[in-house]
């Protein structure tokens, strides 16, 4: 069975549920029925000991990942519970989602909260630590759950601890302003309060921020429209050793293990100062926190210049990283490389993209600004594959319920862009690669070296003042700084000498008087 059949979308499940008859809906069976949109099994109620019903739903949130929604209810005592679990693997990095709730419509944003996620509302100085229960809710549902939990023991606190009661009640009142709950008369004329969502009420609401921090990366806050939503942001970060231990990814470090005290070590058969020399620096893995070694070596690229390759490999968690730095002086001019790619043979060209270079493919409107992806020494196929993976696995976790024309148009445009990029990285059609580096530290292999390559154009240009300012070159002085220092010291000495003469004259006048 394919992944799509195991984890259909919520809309597909809703359509399937509408096709069931009433008898089929109320028929509870412990067997898995592929025709039913959700599975129901009898489960023991831990509150009264009777048999209740657990409903399980395997579904997927578009552009997020697969989840399992579980709901339990006991008809005997009324106990109920629901939670959501991720059906995917733990992500390579932790995620921090931030949503600005500025209008009541933002209260409808969906929140997927895993068991390892913590939630912070800075304006209210409120922090919800990670719990053993996952949750699929909205911002409004989250606020109502917090209000319900805080209000539960308020009568008892009022008697036993009035100070705590006052502080908690102040927080409850602030949450009440967000929800805007008021007793309203129903449409049928009775005194029962009308059920109305907080997002539909026409009342002022204080703005606040919701932050969901999940080291496992399996939580999510919905954005509105597209990833350009100005009120939504997602940031990834490497997990600490303690977070990896709490998630069960690595074992606790062995306290008896002693680290090597050498600051740096030279290995290899080459003599000092040659290109065969390899430096090893002890460090810490940014993924799991265990000690590892970072190796650094100088490499000469023929018909280009010397570069320094740094490689990190963790034998505990498998984390690998490599970065390239220039080993030569700063170039007086910038360099722009333009390569016409006609067939797959061009994909095997070596390419060095420095951390200051920008990459552009005009045919598909792909623009990577300076600094994106850092420094890389790979092949043309390798760097295009990395660009594709970064974009396809990016934060395009779209609106799971919205089918507005804007959202559909954004999804179609993004999917078309990924399709074009996939064709480009397999050289299914010709394209142009432009590598622009203000420091001229980037390189594309010339297959005809030392003769000019007919498919590649090399252009040298003068850097602008803005580029020099961004690179920190305008304030950099490498010649004559010794004389400037001596002259500045001399000026300070003359100034201090002049000040002392003035003080002496003032003292003499005081004595004469």
């Amino acid at each position: 069975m394919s992944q799509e059949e195991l984890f259909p979308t919520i809309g597909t499940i809703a359509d399937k549920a509408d096709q069931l008859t009433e008898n089929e809906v109320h028929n509870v069976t412990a067997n898995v029925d592929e025709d039913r949109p959700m599975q129901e099994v009898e489960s023991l109620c831990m509150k009264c000991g009777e048999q209740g019903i657990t409903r399980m739903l395997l579904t997927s949130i578009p552009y997020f990942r697969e989840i399992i929604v579980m709901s339990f209810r006991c008809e005997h005592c009324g106990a109920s519970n629901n939670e959501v679990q991720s059906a995917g693997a733990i992500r390579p990095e932790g995620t921090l989602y931030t949503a600005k709730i500025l209008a009541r419509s933002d209260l409808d944003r969906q929140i997927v909260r895993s068991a390892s996620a913590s939630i912070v509302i800075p304006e209210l100085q409120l922090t919800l630590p990670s719990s053993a229960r996952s949750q699929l809710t909205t911002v409004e549902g989250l606020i109502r759950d917090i209000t319900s939990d805080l209000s539960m023991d308020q009568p008892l606190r009022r008697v036993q601890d009035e100070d705590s009661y006052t502080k908690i009640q102040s927080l409850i009142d602030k949450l009440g302003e967000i929800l805007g709950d008021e007793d309203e008369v129903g449409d049928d004329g009775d005194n029962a309060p009308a059920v109305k969502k907080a997002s539909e009420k026409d009342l002022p609401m204080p703005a606040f921020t919701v932050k969901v921090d999940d080291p496992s990366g399996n939580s999510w806050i919905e954005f509105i429209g597209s990833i350009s939503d100005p009120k939504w942001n997602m940031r990834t970060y490497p997990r600490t050793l303690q977070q990896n231990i709490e998630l069960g990814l690595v074992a606790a470090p062995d306290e008896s293990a002693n680290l090597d005290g050498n600051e740096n070590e030279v290995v290899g058969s080459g003599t000092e100062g040659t290109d065969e020399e390899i430096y090893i620096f002890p460090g810490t893995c940014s993924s799991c926190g265990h000690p590892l070694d970072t190796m650094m070596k100088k490499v000469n690229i023929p018909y280009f210049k010397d570069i320094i390759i740094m490689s990190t490999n963790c034998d505990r968690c498998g984390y690998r990283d490599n970065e390239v730095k220039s080993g030569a002086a700063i170039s007086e001019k910038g360099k722009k490389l333009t390569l016409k790619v006609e067939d797959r043979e061009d994909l095997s060209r070596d390419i060095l993209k420095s951390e200051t270079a920008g990459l552009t493919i005009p045919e598909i409107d792909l623009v990577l600004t300076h600094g994106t992806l850092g420094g890389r020494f790979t092949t043309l196929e390798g760097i295009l594959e990395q660009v594709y993976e970064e974009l396809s696995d990016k934060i395009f976790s779209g609106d799971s319920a919205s089918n507005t024309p804007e959202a559909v148009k954004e999804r179609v445009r993004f999917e078309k862009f990924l399709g074009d990029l996939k064709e480009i990285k397999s050289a299914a059609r010709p394209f142009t690669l432009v590598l622009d580096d203000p420091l001229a530290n980037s390189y594309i292999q010339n297959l005809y070296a030392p003769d000019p390559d007919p498919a590649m154009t090399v252009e040298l240009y003068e850097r602008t003042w803005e580029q020099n300012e961004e690179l920190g070159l305008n304030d950099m002085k490498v010649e004559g700084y010794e004389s400037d220092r001596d002259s500045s010291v001399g000026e300070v000495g003359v100034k201090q000498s002049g000040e002392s003469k003035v003080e002496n004259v003032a003292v003499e006048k005081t004595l004469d008087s």
Side-chain angles (χ1 to χ4, degrees), residues 349-483:
R349 292 175 183 255
D350 290 333
I351 181 172
L352 168 62
K353 179 194 171 298
S354 73
E355 65 273 11
T356 59
L359 188 147
T360 305
I361 301 179
E363 285 79 1
I364 60 173
D365 296 328
L366 172 65
V367 178
L368 300 182
T369 57
H370 302 281
T372 307
L373 299 180
R376 290 291 182 267
F377 185 34
T378 178
T379 62
L380 180 56
E381 183 180 8
I383 198 166
L384 292 177
E385 181 68 30
Q386 186 176 8
V387 172
Y388 179 81
E389 291 178 358
E390 289 285 338
L391 293 178
S392 61
D393 195 35
K394 210 63 177 173
I395 56 177
F396 199 80
S397 45
D399 187 348
S400 62
S402 174
N403 287 319
T404 61
E406 293 79 7
V408 173
K409 183 178 179 181
E410 183 70 20
R411 286 198 294 268
V412 171
R413 189 179 71 86
F414 186 79
E415 291 172 359
K416 182 180 182 302
F417 171 77
L418 286 181
D420 294 339
L421 182 57
K422 185 174 288 187
E423 292 181 359
I424 289 296
K425 72 184 184 71
S426 61
R429 63 177 184 179
F431 64 95
T432 305
L433 178 76
V434 181
L435 200 60
D436 188 355
D437 190 352
L439 291 181
N441 287 331
S442 295
Y443 160 84
I444 298 178
Q445 183 183 7
N446 181 355
L447 300 180
Y448 299 86
D451 298 327
D453 192 329
M456 184 166 57
T457 303
V458 180
E459 177 186 353
L460 298 177
Y461 62 88
E462 296 287 344
R463 287 188 294 267
T464 63
W465 186 91
E466 290 77 10
Q467 288 176 323
N468 286 327
E469 182 69 17
E470 183 179 355
L471 295 170
L473 300 179
N474 288 334
D475 299 329
M476 184 181 297
K477 188 171 185 180
V478 295
E479 295 180 355
Y481 53 86
E482 297 92 346
S483 60

Side-chain angles (χ1 to χ4, degrees), residues 187-202:
D187 296 336
D188 55 356
D190 56 11
N191 294 327
V195 178
K196 194 172 183 180
K197 295 172 59 178
S199 59
E200 299 175 352
K201 298 178 181 179
D202 188 14

Side-chain angles (χ1 to χ4, degrees), residues 70-95:
M70 292 181 292
S71 174
F72 172 80
R73 179 170 179 80
C74 178
E75 298 294 340
H76 301 278
C77 65
S80 62
N81 182 28
N82 64 83
E83 65 178 274
V84 59
Q85 292 184 0
S86 173
I90 294 178
R91 311 300 292 177
E93 293 182 311
T95 54

